[in-house]
Amino acid sequence: MPWPDPHLLLAAMGAAFLAGLARGFSGFGAALIFVPLGSAILGPRVAAPLLLVVDLVMASPMIPRAWRFAARGEVALMALGALVGVPAGAWLLLQLEAEALRWGMCAMVLAMVALLASGWRYQGAPWPPATLAVGAVSGLFSGAAQMGGPPLVAYWMGGTNDAARVRANLVLTGAIGGALSAVAYLAGGLLGLELLLLAAALGPLYGLGLWIGGRLFGMASQQMFRRICFGLILLAAVIGLPLWDR
């Protein structure tokens, strides 16, 4: 991977900051913002692994607490599903042409934000076959574009778990999915020294966005922040379309 030109690097830093800001004040949206923008700036085979490295490092302090509070049996079933889904998603990332990947990623972003904005949630207690299936779908989206969060949110938020346990489940499942993606990306040659150096350059801006977003949370209604986040995601999906390359 060649080192990006200065203007591209600055654009990628801006995208990382916006992604961190969205996640900081709403708890989701990092991949939905960064992947379409990062794919347009750096290419899809750089954007997804890059966000993986940055987010794994920044989110790692949350893992010990999540381990204590998560429903570890449900998370284990999710992980089993992800063992199938992540390699399949990584294979798509490696095999599809860059333009097709960008169209697919932008379409995925629009579908995921529609799912989240609709308010639909799975109702009832977690069902093991459904948990495995959701894990596989989440893993597929994670391997292809690091967008495995929305299916998990839709599945767990409407169940019998309380909010603290759901959050812990999401953090722990995301960490496991990230580790599986890292193995798949490493095997596919997507993680190299240049990408790690680029992650080090973008990491502080992502972390700053997380911090500012966290400070902003509570200054206005959650509904307003969600609308802002959805607006940023939709804007990122539109800007990231290959349509503007011509």
Side-chain angles (χ1 to χ4, degrees), residues 122-224:
Y122 170 81
Q123 301 296 324
W127 183 45
T131 303
L132 280 168
V134 172
V137 171
S138 175
L140 178 70
F141 292 169
S142 291
Q146 293 305 299
M147 297 181 194
L152 303 179
V153 171
Y155 182 67
W156 268 323
M157 286 297 288
T160 57
N161 291 316
D162 59 29
R165 174 155 288 187
V166 168
R167 185 174 184 273
N169 287 354
L170 292 172
V171 170
L172 193 56
T173 305
I176 294 171
L180 293 173
S181 294
V183 172
Y185 291 169
L186 189 61
L190 296 176
L191 294 179
L193 178 60
E194 295 86 354
L195 188 133
L196 296 178
L197 292 174
L198 189 55
L202 268 60
L205 272 297
Y206 185 80
L208 179 63
L210 283 173
W211 182 80
I212 293 176
R215 300 280 291 185
L216 289 173
F217 183 75
M219 294 178 64
S221 69
Q222 185 176 358
Q223 185 179 20
M224 178 180 291

